[in-house]
Amino acid sequence: HTHTHHPDHPVNPPQSTQSPWVVEIPEDLNYSIRPVHGVFEVFPTTESTEPLPYQYTRLPDFVQDMQMMCSMIADGPLKSFCYRRLSYLYSKFQLHVLLNELRELASQKAVPHRDFYNIRKVDTHIHAASCMNQKHLLRFIKKTLKNSADEVVTVTKGTPMTLAQVFQSMNLTTYDLTVDMLDVHADRNTFHRFDKFNAKYNPIGESRLREVFLKTDNYLNGKYFANIIKEVASDFEESKYQNAELRLSIYGKSPDEWYKLAKWAIDGNVYSDNIRWLIQIPRLYDIFKTNQLMSSFQQILDNVFKPLFEATNNPSKHPEIHTFLQYVIGFDSVDDESKPENPLFDGDVTPPADWTDVENPPYAYYIYYMYANMTVLNHFRAARGMNTFVLRPHCGEAGPVQHLVCGYLMAENISHGLLLRKVPVLQYLYYLAQIGIAMSPLSNNSLFLNYDRNPFPEYLARGLVVSLSTDDPLQFHYTKEPLMEEYSIAAQVWKLSSCDMCELARNSVLMSGFPHKMKQHWLGPNYTREGVAGNDITRTNVPDIRVAFRYESLLDELANIFKVNNEQKMQYASQQ
């Protein structure tokens, strides 16, 4: 191959000199925002009864589609068909490797400057509260205790306590602290024990320390958490080629959560070109209801979505939220998926305002109302020229396969997707739709599935859009570069080639929510085009041979389905 030199090929994307928090604030519209059956609608005036025509999927249609998908999954002939097609794709990839591996390697060697270490990678699934490794957290706690011992950090039973007093009450000094004492690493005792895993977020088993160091909303307004995130961000900037989409929590407990989170980011100047934010919404309605913090499920939707609609409607009244949302790329739904639940299959589903039960709504109920509200919000924001959001939930890690059906119908990408290995019909559909799957084999190894049984290498061979991610470096990783640790272990265990690794890195950038201009710098100006036309080997280090193989395989599968479909139609017509 002859490679032309690209003059617009900087190592870094263009750096802006102005503050990231100086953004243009559009004029206020003063529309009326009201929920209708659990979904916020935009009305031109307070008297209007007709909302603006922003279309979204209605609940009965969603329930009907869910039922149809579930009957497809259980259909015997269809299962056999999809299983055979997936087996064919796997074998086809093995044949491609046998025939073209050396050619792929030769074309990679012919590219100057690029190798696996200096192509862009995005950690597509990582939680902000555990984005540092355990040694980093330990050093940070020791340093803070040394420099800010007399700072008041919490109020216990009405008494203000300094950091030194908090540690005195636990009979600890900086000298005593060790990684083992922090006890934040997942071990063999966390396997299939999500409750024990969640407890690992508390350093030294103390929820007070979690509140002081790993929360955005505390007595110090998240000052320490902002500092440690900035240290992690500076590590990313130093390594240059690694980026992350950190997940911050909005619980839906109170209406001012968005304001506090935005103020935390802006006041603490928590920004980096290498980081974007995803907002995770834990499914905790049952806990809030038990503690009498809310009367119905509608309150969670009000607290999560109303501030976003208000900030889109009247940005000058909510400047912090408007500014912060420039760097938010989407939403995630998190919790233990293996909790038992009643499936959402009734035609007559209780609307959110009437969901006053103590029982937690099912997964599909949460996802539907997130999706429907996000759809209207995205229409509204797009009409105003603002950035929009995507839905990228935790899905298919454990629990029933119906969660994956929800993901297929409504998600842009999903995190985990382990259970696809048991459902060939869904796995084939995820392949055809090229829905991104952020996989974290080290995390799964500690929680739900041993490393050697992880379906990741099969997904990659078959051509599903998979990427590697860390999930929780604090719990699972040891080194300063957890994403590289994840890649290196996968490469050793599954004997991944250099081409496989670069393909995974390219997938992670394509799946990510980083801005279009950045992706053009990272992947090439035409990255949105399909097949070889969208690949620039001088930036991605992925050979055109591999990209062409993936694209042609996908076109073959789609053509095969249309062929089968047309034959069936003709057969049906002749029978009539």
Side-chain angles (χ1 to χ4, degrees), residues 80-148:
S80 297
F81 172 78
C82 293
Y83 177 74
R84 283 165 182 260
R85 295 313 299 177
L86 289 169
S87 301
Y88 166 69
L89 283 167
Y90 184 78
S91 303
K92 191 175 178 180
F93 179 72
Q94 304 303 329
L95 187 61
H96 165 78
V97 170
L98 283 171
L99 293 173
N100 298 313
E101 190 170 27
L102 294 177
R103 288 168 64 204
E104 286 180 345
L105 186 59
S107 59
Q108 282 187 308
K109 283 180 178 174
V111 180
H113 179 67
R114 284 282 164 238
D115 55 35
F116 169 67
Y117 291 94
N118 64 12
I119 53 171
R120 307 286 170 173
K121 305 160 203 69
V122 180
D123 197 337
T124 44
H125 173 202
I126 174 171
H127 300 273
S130 56
C131 65
M132 69 301 292
N133 63 44
Q134 51 182 350
K135 186 68 179 170
H136 186 166
L137 180 62
L138 179 71
R139 276 203 317 268
F140 182 81
I141 290 175
K142 283 188 170 185
K143 182 174 68 182
T144 312
L145 188 51
K146 189 177 171 184
N147 298 335
S148 311

Side-chain angles (χ1 to χ4, degrees), residues 473-513:
L474 182 63
Q475 274 83 5
F476 307 119
H477 298 79
Y478 289 89
T479 63
K480 193 179 174 182
E481 296 191 344
L483 187 58
M484 293 300 277
E485 190 179 334
E486 193 79 46
Y487 272 94
S488 65
I489 292 172
Q492 299 283 357
V493 174
W494 291 313
K495 299 181 174 58
L496 302 180
S497 69
S498 164
C499 183
D500 296 333
M501 305 272 274
C502 294
E503 185 182 13
L504 288 169
R506 180 174 181 263
N507 284 350
S508 75
V509 176
L510 287 170
M511 282 165 62
S512 74

Side-chain angles (χ1 to χ4, degrees), residues 161 164-172 206 208:
M161 289 182 78
Q165 287 170 331
V166 168
F167 276 88
Q168 278 164 11
S169 70
M170 293 168 2
N171 294 325
L172 284 175
E206 287 279 343
R208 272 186 304 178

Side-chain angles (χ1 to χ4, degrees), residues 27-47:
E27 61 175 327
D28 292 352
L29 294 178
N30 294 312
Y31 286 167
S32 174
I33 314 281
R34 305 196 289 274
V36 179
H37 305 304
V39 180
F40 282 93
E41 299 263 25
V42 183
F43 297 85
T45 64
T46 46
E47 291 78 36

Side-chain angles (χ1 to χ4, degrees), residues 37 56-65 344 346-352 364-365 368-369:
H37 305 304
Y56 66 92
T57 306
R58 307 288 159 164
L59 186 61
D61 297 338
F62 166 62
V63 172
Q64 192 180 339
D65 290 346
L344 178 73
D346 285 348
D348 183 29
V349 180
T350 312
Y365 193 87
Y368 169 75
Y369 281 106

